[in-house]
Amino acid sequence: MLIKMIPFLFVILWASGFVGARFGLEYAEPMTFLSLRMVLNVVLFALLIMLLKRRIPTGRQFWHSCVSGLFIHGLYLGGTFQAIHWGIPAGLASLLVGSQPIFTALILLLMGSERLNLAQWLGLALGFAGISCVLMGNIEWQSAAQKWAAIGMCVVSLIGITVGTLYQKKFCQGVDLLGGALVQYVAAVALLLPAAMQFETMQVEWTPTFIMTLGWLVVVLSCIAILLLLYMVEHGASSSVASVFYLVPPTTAIQAWICFGESFDRLGALGFVLAAVAVYLVVKKPVLRRSRMPQPAESVS
């Protein structure tokens, strides 16, 4: 019974990353905040690899892991944190980047090598309808001054996680999950830290809230979540995460409502429901006929 709850626990932890971002960004700028997180991730994962005697990829696997890290942790997290810094609600950010399975299916379809079944076509339609409903609804923004720039950053984030996941699926087969994650975090530091040095003040308010938020994102989200994923991969249950991944945006919306009072009107709520159903329909069965479609849970933020 407890084992069956692991995918749901994983989803709850994943969703908390968006809420954690909003908490922490009150005390540090986005690239500075992420640089600190990635550096601590590197230290923590180096210790885990030594403790668990895992293998760090070398040669081509090392460089492939670097590329996937630049997309997954650099563009995906960088875009998401910047968007939240510019005022987008955490729930809306989660919804936009959580449409990754839909976007992936669309890319594979446009490439001309894959075909969708009827349920997945319906999922694509519902996905666009759901996102449109949320965007047209009455959403409470932190600040609407850079509204479209924030939405644009979420699109950058969506492209990052989609391309990164596809790349990882194609070129990082057989890479140890912990070792590959360490290399990805190192690559992310190489991207995010210079950006912080160039464009931000790098000032941090070391309040108890910020320290606890940073600790949560590093230890709980990046460490415990990835260990849960490692367990599921090794026990053949990683597909279970994909089957409940549609719960991430509504879970984030609930967490953001509890923590910050973020609210949506009925049209927005309908959009969340439609988007959740859309992701469920798209990932319920593989889009690929010759190989399995990359699932959103194959990378951990």
Side-chain angles (χ1 to χ4, degrees):
M1 180 64 180
L2 291 177
I3 293 177
K4 292 181 179 180
M5 295 301 296
I6 288 178
F8 294 95
L9 177 60
F10 180 88
V11 166
I12 292 172
L13 295 182
W14 182 284
S16 72
F18 296 91
V19 176
R22 181 167 171 184
F23 268 119
L25 288 172
E26 296 181 11
Y27 308 98
E29 294 162 295
M31 300 304 113
T32 300
F33 186 16
L34 277 175
S35 296
L36 283 171
R37 178 182 171 185
M38 293 299 122
V39 169
L40 291 175
N41 282 346
V42 170
V43 174
L44 181 58
F45 272 72
L47 294 174
L48 284 174
I49 288 171
M50 289 188 292
L51 186 64
L52 300 176
K53 298 181 180 179
R54 294 283 178 168
R55 184 174 63 88
I56 299 176
T58 57
R60 289 185 178 181
Q61 288 187 334
F62 174 86
W63 295 110
H64 285 316
S65 296
C66 284
V67 173
S68 62
L70 290 175
F71 280 107
I72 294 171
H73 302 295
L75 291 185
Y76 166 58
L77 288 179
T80 301
F81 275 55
Q82 186 66 56
I84 294 176
H85 176 67
W86 280 340
I88 196 170
L92 177 56
S94 176
L95 176 70
L96 293 177
V97 300
S99 63
Q100 179 238 329
I102 300 172
F103 189 47
T104 300
L106 184 60
I107 289 176
L108 296 175
L109 178 67
L110 294 176
M111 288 173 63
S113 58
E114 313 305 336
R115 289 181 291 179
L116 307 183
N117 60 37
L118 180 60
Q120 290 163 335
W121 275 110
L122 179 59
L124 286 179
L126 288 178
F128 290 118
I131 292 173
S132 298
C133 285
V134 175
L135 291 177
M136 290 187 299
N138 185 16
I139 308 172
E140 183 180 352
W141 284 63
Q142 303 173 58
S143 170
Q146 295 173 292
K147 178 178 180 179
W148 293 108
I151 292 175
M153 268 299 166
C154 280
V155 174
V156 171
S157 179
L158 174 60
I159 293 172
I161 189 63
T162 302
V163 174
T165 302
L166 288 170
Y167 188 95
Q168 179 172 304
K169 182 64 181 177
K170 183 175 178 63
F171 296 106
C172 298
Q173 291 284 354
V175 175
D176 181 86
L177 189 59
L178 289 180
L182 173 63
V183 175
Q184 288 183 8
Y185 291 140
V186 171
V189 172
L191 175 67
L192 297 169
L193 185 57
M197 295 173 66
Q198 180 68 28
F199 301 108
E200 298 179 353
T201 65
M202 298 192 71
Q203 294 181 351
V204 178
E205 294 182 46
W206 291 96
T207 65
T209 300
F210 179 78
I211 294 172
M212 287 189 292
T213 300
L214 183 61
W216 175 272
L217 293 178
V218 172
V219 177
V220 177
L221 194 62
S222 294
C223 179
I224 294 179
I226 204 170
L227 290 177
L228 286 175
L229 179 58
L230 180 61
Y231 175 86
M232 289 183 289
V233 168
E234 293 182 345
H235 290 79
S238 58
S239 60
S240 299
V241 177
S243 68
V244 297
F245 204 79
Y246 66 96
L247 294 173
V248 170
T251 300
T252 302
I254 292 172
Q255 292 176 352
W257 172 67
I258 294 173
C259 295
F260 308 112
E262 287 187 5
S263 60
F264 298 87
D265 61 5
R266 292 181 179 179
L267 185 60
L270 174 62
F272 271 94
V273 173
L274 292 178
V277 173
V279 173
Y280 173 77
L281 290 174
V282 169
V283 304
K284 184 179 180 182
K285 291 184 179 180
V287 175
L288 295 177
R289 291 183 172 228
R290 290 179 295 279
S291 62
R292 185 172 59 85
M293 174 178 148
Q295 301 294 356
E298 290 182 352
S299 315
V300 178
S301 58

